[in-house]
Amino acid sequence: SGVLFERALAHTPLTLPSHTNILTGTLPVVHGVHDNLGFRVPGGAVTLAEHLRSRGLRTAAFVGAYPLDSSFGLDQGFDLYDDFFGSKNRSSGLLFVERPGADTVARAMDWIGRQREDGWFVFLHLYDPHQPYAPPEPFAGRFAADPYGGEVAYVDNCLAALFRALTDQGRAASTLVVLTADHGEAFGEHGESTHGYFAYNSTLHVPLIVSGPGVARPGTKLGDPVSHVDIFPTVCALLGVPPPAGLQGRSLSPLLGGGKLRAAPVYFESLAPYYNNGWAPLRGVVDNGFKYIDAPLPELYALEADFGEKVNLAST
């Protein structure tokens, strides 16, 4: 029922900075959040929730894991920020305490069901397709050889319940839905597992689907390069709300309506290894069909023919 952007990119392969990119519409070089730990969203940042609440919408967030705990500052503008994970043991090494997707969705459905027809905004965060890969039954059995796929199927099942509830309540046709991921996941590409170290497309390429009012041509797949900072201005355009000053993305509404939009450069970074392990900082840009990674050994890829980044063209 929506439009799929097949070449959507995150700017950061980590949860907190990536969601800060999405919900503030600005890049890490502006908001200053570069890792899951040790950083906090600045109070001066304007979140999508703050902006929509200032226009009279009621706002709520339901988050699935500790990297988005309210202590990191992403709760700005939410009337309700539900970040209860059921444990005080919030992190252990690379693993964070999380809440099952079905529980998070159920709390969101309950809140939505108590809202009037007009004027509400929900941020729903599901953490399940994330290391460790441990889907519940029956998905564990069905995906015994692919537990990550089992986690994805489990989340798909959880979201199906949410969309059914919207339909049963008569809200589906009037509800704008934006579905994305904060980052991808690597399974050995370029020698990386999980995410958060390198800056290849295996961990920066994300799904992006927009569905609902103002979205023409449902079922369309678009290959235009877009990024996370485009979501905030796109939501504003589709809701008829003027965007705040300082956003670094652009509205994708022309593409959703069947029109054209000039491509814009996409900045990306992976700085957690720099802050935590003393590695070289990784930054780069995607522009005009090429991706440049500013690393100690520079990398350049022609994405149209080499989206998997196997042939480094930097030397030529």
Side-chain angles (χ1 to χ4, degrees):
S1 64
V3 170
L4 167 66
F5 290 92
E6 294 186 301
R7 290 294 173 90
L9 293 175
H11 308 281
T12 323
L14 284 171
T15 298
L16 177 62
S18 203
H19 281 92
T20 308
N21 303 334
I22 294 169
L23 290 177
T24 69
T26 60
L27 298 169
V29 292
V30 169
H31 58 65
V33 179
H34 301 285
D35 192 5
N36 282 335
L37 299 172
F39 293 89
R40 194 177 193 279
V41 180
V46 178
T47 67
L48 179 57
E50 283 180 296
H51 188 60
L52 295 181
R53 188 168 69 173
S54 74
R55 311 293 295 194
L57 277 71
R58 291 170 299 283
T59 59
F62 302 88
V63 303
Y66 179 65
L68 298 188
D69 187 88
S70 59
S71 61
F72 298 119
L74 207 57
D75 60 336
Q76 295 172 197
F78 287 102
D79 298 315
L80 170 65
Y81 195 86
D82 186 329
D83 59 353
F84 176 72
F85 311 115
S87 172
K88 293 184 178 180
N89 179 24
R90 292 179 166 183
S91 66
S92 175
L94 295 176
L95 306 180
F96 295 99
V97 65
E98 61 180 284
R99 176 167 56 187
D103 294 351
T104 310
V105 168
R107 298 176 77 89
M109 288 167 52
D110 177 69
W111 187 88
I112 292 171
R114 290 184 279 109
Q115 304 309 304
R116 299 189 301 273
E117 285 300 312
D118 59 329
W120 53 270
F121 166 70
V122 163
F123 166 51
L124 175 63
H125 166 248
L126 303 180
Y127 195 74
D128 304 82
H130 194 285
Q131 189 188 38
Y133 314 129
E137 293 293 358
F139 304 97
R142 287 171 48 196
F143 292 85
D146 178 19
Y148 177 78
E151 295 270 37
V152 173
Y154 169 62
V155 163
D156 187 62
N157 183 262
C158 294
L159 291 176
L162 172 64
F163 297 141
R164 280 196 302 270
L166 291 172
T167 300
D168 293 343
Q169 296 170 13
R171 300 177 186 263
S174 60
T175 300
L176 175 65
V177 177
V178 179
L179 186 148
T180 190
D182 51 349
H183 53 72
E185 194 80 330
F187 293 94
E189 299 93 333
H190 299 276
E192 183 179 20
S193 62
T194 70
H195 58 275
Y197 296 93
F198 301 144
Y200 296 109
N201 290 336
S202 51
T203 61
L204 291 179
H205 183 215
V206 294
L208 177 59
I209 301 172
V210 184
S211 175
V215 179
R217 303 180 303 153
T220 302
K221 298 179 180 180
L222 300 177
D224 305 72
V226 300
S227 67
H228 272 160
V229 294
D230 297 330
I231 291 175
F232 192 149
T234 300
V235 169
C236 289
L238 293 177
L239 296 183
V241 173
L247 298 185
Q248 294 184 279
R250 69 268 161 81
S251 170
L252 304 179
S253 58
L255 296 174
L256 294 168
K260 301 289 186 181
L261 189 64
R262 179 177 294 182
V266 177
Y267 167 86
F268 62 87
E269 65 175 40
S270 182
L271 298 185
Y274 165 74
Y275 286 109
N276 299 316
N277 306 104
W279 293 18
L282 293 180
R283 300 181 179 91
V285 66
V286 174
D287 191 22
N288 197 32
F290 287 91
K291 177 177 178 179
Y292 174 69
I293 303 176
D294 183 21
L297 297 177
E299 299 179 49
L300 180 69
Y301 300 99
L303 296 185
E304 193 62 37
D306 185 22
F307 197 74
E309 302 154 303
K310 298 184 183 301
V311 181
N312 183 4
L313 304 175
S315 63
T316 60

